[in-house]
Amino acid sequence: MGNGKQRWRVFYKSSSSSNASKRQSKEPPKEFLCPISGSLMADPVIVSSGQTFERACVQVCKALGFNPTLSEGSSPDFSTIIPNLAIQSTILSWCDKCSVDRPKPLDFDSAEKVVRTLMASQKAENKSEDSDKELIKAVGETPPVLKFAHAITDLNRRSTHFYSSSQESVTTTGSTPPLPLATRPSCYSSSSSSEIETLNPDSPEEDEGIIAKLKSPQVFEQEEALVSLRKITRTGEETRVSLCSPRLLSMLRSLIISRYSGIQVNAVAVLVNLSLEKINKVKIVRSGIVPPLIDVLKGGFPEAQDHAAGALFSLALEDANKTAIGVLGALPPLLHTLRSESERARNDSALALYHLSLVQSNRTKLVKLGAVQILMGMVNSGHLWSRALLVLCNLAACPDGRTAMLDAGAVECLVGLLRGNELDSDSIRESCLAALYALSFGGSRFKGLAKEAGAMETLMRVEKIGSERAREKAKKILEIMREKTEEGLDWEALLDSGLVSRTRIKIQSFLKLVCKKSGGAVVTKELYSVPDNPPILHNIINAV
């Protein structure tokens, strides 16, 4: 019995030690915990400043414009987030090894509660630390008084008000600038001279007051600051240039994706105003604000989508931005917005696509995205066809676009428009002719389609009664249609069409040459239509 008792005691001590060790091993390492939520991370992401957080916490902080102070006293930079797959894999392995349930991603609402609690605690701490400084400062200074106007008549107006600048036009490359183009988005409206500015943009104190409100955790204060910014950026080039700083753009970038409609709408509207100045356009794109704009265009509030389309159009006016905007993924949502219920969004999206399609790389992408079919549908239905024709003119300048337009029946459609009475202006007629002229480089296929559509008669009529530019374009197209290659056949165009193989082209070209060199020797129909068989070519050569 003594030996058994001794063995029981040894076993009992060993079991207690094992349980204690097991409990200790279940404590996760500090680097596995989100610095904001304090929980095990399920979807960890690395931010620009190098720290790792739970994705939902970062999204909430950006939406609320909150930049937390971490335990070591630093403040993270949330401008860019990248999935931290390495730490995620390590966390999951640790959970499996320690028999701990794998963490589940934090939902947005739960993350928002955590962040708001942290915001309140840090605000209380900051207030107690700064109270003495504020009291001392208040003795020597009178704080600036900010007056915010909430009843701004044209801030929330939608499709009932449009601004067009038909007098202003831009210089475009190539031979297809048929329409005078607006250089300002439809969603932009200048304020009347009777409006009284409540803020002085030259006052640093007032600028700092707006910035402070943008940083505020209170949604009302953020929206109030954005309304004021939106008002003072509607007028004055100098104001827009001075306010377009990296700090303000960084704040706008986080506010644009806010879940609150007032904040999102006004933040994008401020960006539209800032983008009106040429000097600001490249700066805005380089600040990383285009991806959030694209997100708004895809699924933002309706009025914010109007402004997002206008902002992309305004930014696309700058040549240095065209390729970058296309690479960042703006083309698909802009194409989709052509079917929007909002006329402003449709108009600005079409103009954005026109300017973006001046770049070859964007043309190729648009063709692959099926833009030709969408645009041809708009032309056939008479819906925003003047803008659609502008984009089609650019797409017809590249081989892929030309082929897609010929496949889609563009020649018959354009000739029909020229023949009918639907065209209500010379500029739209010139757009049709510009598109046909670009398609005329399609070789024999274009000639065949044009003749079948009765283009000769229509173009001859335009050459007589059209405007100077229209007559010039019609004359060039007619010259191309009347051109004949040797034996009346455009061999290269025929080869490009895929109807005849390269071997047969070589045989037929050789026979034509032999016929000419032999002083008019007749080549029989049987020899001229030889199949694709290289040995037969050898026999023909010997026979001749």
Side-chain angles (χ1 to χ4, degrees):
M1 289 178 65
N3 291 338
K5 198 171 186 180
Q6 181 66 25
R7 282 196 302 271
W8 170 254
R9 287 176 180 172
V10 172
F11 176 77
Y12 178 79
K13 289 181 180 179
S14 176
S15 176
S16 299
S17 176
S18 175
N19 288 337
S21 175
K22 190 174 182 180
R23 283 196 301 270
Q24 186 176 3
S25 65
K26 287 188 177 181
E27 292 295 329
K30 184 179 180 181
E31 58 269 20
F32 290 1
L33 304 178
C34 173
I36 294 177
S37 68
S39 303
L40 202 60
M41 292 183 286
D43 188 8
V45 292
I46 301 176
V47 299
S48 301
S49 49
Q51 298 96 339
T52 297
F53 299 88
E54 181 71 26
R55 182 187 296 273
C57 292
V58 175
Q59 291 173 339
V60 170
C61 286
K62 293 177 70 174
L64 297 177
F66 173 58
N67 195 7
T69 302
L70 304 181
S71 57
E72 68 273 14
S74 63
S75 295
D77 179 4
F78 292 143
S79 58
T80 305
I81 60 173
I82 303 173
N84 193 337
L85 300 180
I87 194 68
Q88 184 182 42
S89 176
T90 306
I91 291 173
L92 295 178
S93 299
W94 177 85
C95 290
D96 295 340
K97 182 179 179 181
C98 299
S99 301
V100 174
D101 292 338
R102 290 188 171 191
K104 296 180 180 179
L106 200 62
D107 62 90
F108 195 92
D109 292 335
S110 300
E112 184 174 3
K113 292 179 182 177
V114 172
V115 172
R116 287 193 178 278
T117 302
L118 181 61
M119 290 169 63
S121 64
Q122 290 196 1
K123 183 177 181 180
E125 291 176 5
N126 293 336
K127 186 175 291 186
S128 62
E129 291 176 1
D130 296 338
S131 59
D132 291 342
K133 296 179 181 178
E134 291 176 354
L135 287 172
I136 295 172
K137 185 178 180 181
V139 173
E141 296 181 0
T142 301
V145 178
L146 299 180
K147 297 180 181 179
F148 294 93
H150 298 281
I152 299 175
T153 54
D154 61 342
L155 281 183
N156 296 316
R157 286 193 289 183
R158 299 206 52 190
S159 57
T160 56
H161 177 78
F162 300 100
Y163 173 85
S164 63
S165 178
S166 58
Q167 292 80 13
E168 301 178 33
S169 61
V170 294
T171 304
T172 55
T173 58
S175 58
T176 63
L179 285 178
L181 299 179
T183 58
R184 295 188 175 187
S186 300
C187 60
Y188 169 78
S189 62
S190 58
S191 37
S192 63
S193 58
S194 60
E195 283 186 323
I196 301 174
E197 294 294 343
T198 57
L199 293 173
N200 179 8
D202 297 325
S203 171
E205 293 84 1
E206 293 180 354
D207 285 353
E208 288 301 322
I210 294 177
I211 296 296
K213 282 182 174 284
L214 290 176
K215 289 182 177 180
S216 170
Q218 299 298 325
V219 174
F220 172 79
E221 290 189 350
Q222 291 178 352
E223 186 172 352
E224 196 173 48
L226 287 170
V227 167
S228 299
L229 267 177
R230 183 175 176 180
K231 183 177 181 181
I232 64 176
T233 54
R234 277 205 313 275
T235 56
E237 297 180 8
E238 294 182 1
T239 302
R240 290 194 282 261
V241 172
S242 62
L243 285 175
C244 191
S245 63
R247 182 171 63 159
L248 180 61
L249 291 176
S250 177
M251 292 181 185
L252 289 176
R253 188 171 60 236
S254 63
L255 295 172
I256 281 173
I257 58 175
S258 171
R259 296 174 65 194
Y260 295 98
S261 61
I263 291 180
Q264 186 182 98
V265 168
N266 287 293
V268 184
V270 170
L271 185 66
V272 171
N273 293 346
L274 294 176
S275 71
L276 297 177
E277 303 308 322
K278 181 177 176 62
I279 194 173
N280 291 344
K281 295 182 189 294
V282 173
K283 189 187 303 184
I284 291 171
V285 171
R286 289 181 178 176
S287 72
I289 217 162
V290 171
L293 273 179
I294 294 173
D295 289 340
V296 171
L297 195 60
K298 289 178 179 178
F301 295 98
E303 189 176 353
Q305 289 180 322
D306 290 355
H307 294 310
L312 289 171
F313 158 47
S314 180
L315 295 172
L317 289 170
E318 178 59 43
D319 290 342
N321 289 341
K322 290 178 171 60
T323 301
I325 293 174
V327 169
L328 290 169
L331 299 178
L334 283 171
L335 277 174
H336 180 73
T337 309
L338 292 176
R339 301 169 179 172
S340 169
E341 295 180 358
S342 167
E343 184 175 348
R344 290 195 299 181
R346 293 195 302 267
N347 184 70
D348 285 343
S349 294
L351 287 173
L353 288 169
Y354 167 74
H355 288 283
L356 293 173
S357 62
L358 292 171
V359 177
Q360 175 61 34
S361 60
N362 289 335
R363 291 175 192 159
T364 304
K365 291 176 184 175
L366 285 169
V367 173
K368 291 180 179 178
L369 289 169
V372 169
Q373 289 76 11
I374 296 173
L375 296 166
M376 286 302 302
M378 294 171 63
V379 173
N380 286 322
S381 66
H383 168 66
L384 208 67
W385 61 349
S386 62
R387 303 305 189 198
L389 283 171
L390 287 174
V391 186
L392 287 170
C393 287
N394 289 340
L395 297 184
C398 71
D400 292 342
R402 199 156 47 235
T403 301
M405 288 179 65
L406 293 174
D407 291 342
V411 175
E412 182 181 2
C413 172
L414 295 172
V415 172
L417 288 175
L418 289 172
R419 186 185 300 116
N421 298 320
E422 294 90 351
L423 303 182
D424 55 1
S425 69
D426 288 338
S427 59
I428 300 179
R429 185 175 292 103
E430 290 166 9
S431 295
C432 285
L433 289 166
L436 275 175
Y437 178 66
L439 290 174
S440 67
F441 290 92
S444 60
R445 187 181 179 196
F446 167 80
K447 294 177 184 178
L449 292 171
K451 289 178 181 178
E452 185 179 348
M456 293 285 287
E457 179 183 350
T458 302
L459 291 171
M460 289 172 65
R461 182 169 63 87
V462 174
E463 191 179 16
K464 292 180 180 178
I465 64 173
S467 64
E468 183 179 352
R469 289 187 58 170
R471 291 198 302 270
E472 180 185 352
K473 281 286 187 295
K475 181 180 179 182
K476 289 182 179 179
I477 299 170
L478 286 170
E479 289 175 355
I480 291 174
M481 291 182 65
R482 289 164 181 158
E483 285 179 357
K484 289 187 177 180
T485 57
E486 189 179 3
E487 298 296 329
L489 192 60
D490 189 338
W491 296 100
E492 289 300 323
L494 194 60
L495 180 60
D496 291 338
S497 69
L499 299 176
V500 182
S501 70
R502 187 173 295 276
T503 302
R504 184 174 296 182
I505 288 290
K506 289 180 179 178
I507 295 173
Q508 293 170 344
S509 299
F510 173 76
L511 290 176
K512 289 193 299 176
L513 179 62
V514 170
C515 180
K516 185 179 288 187
K517 295 293 184 183
S518 61
V522 178
V523 179
T524 64
K525 182 179 180 181
E526 289 76 17
L527 289 178
Y528 192 76
S529 58
V530 292
D532 300 337
N533 195 332
I536 291 182
L537 175 60
H538 180 71
N539 295 335
I540 292 173
I541 295 173
N542 291 336
V544 175

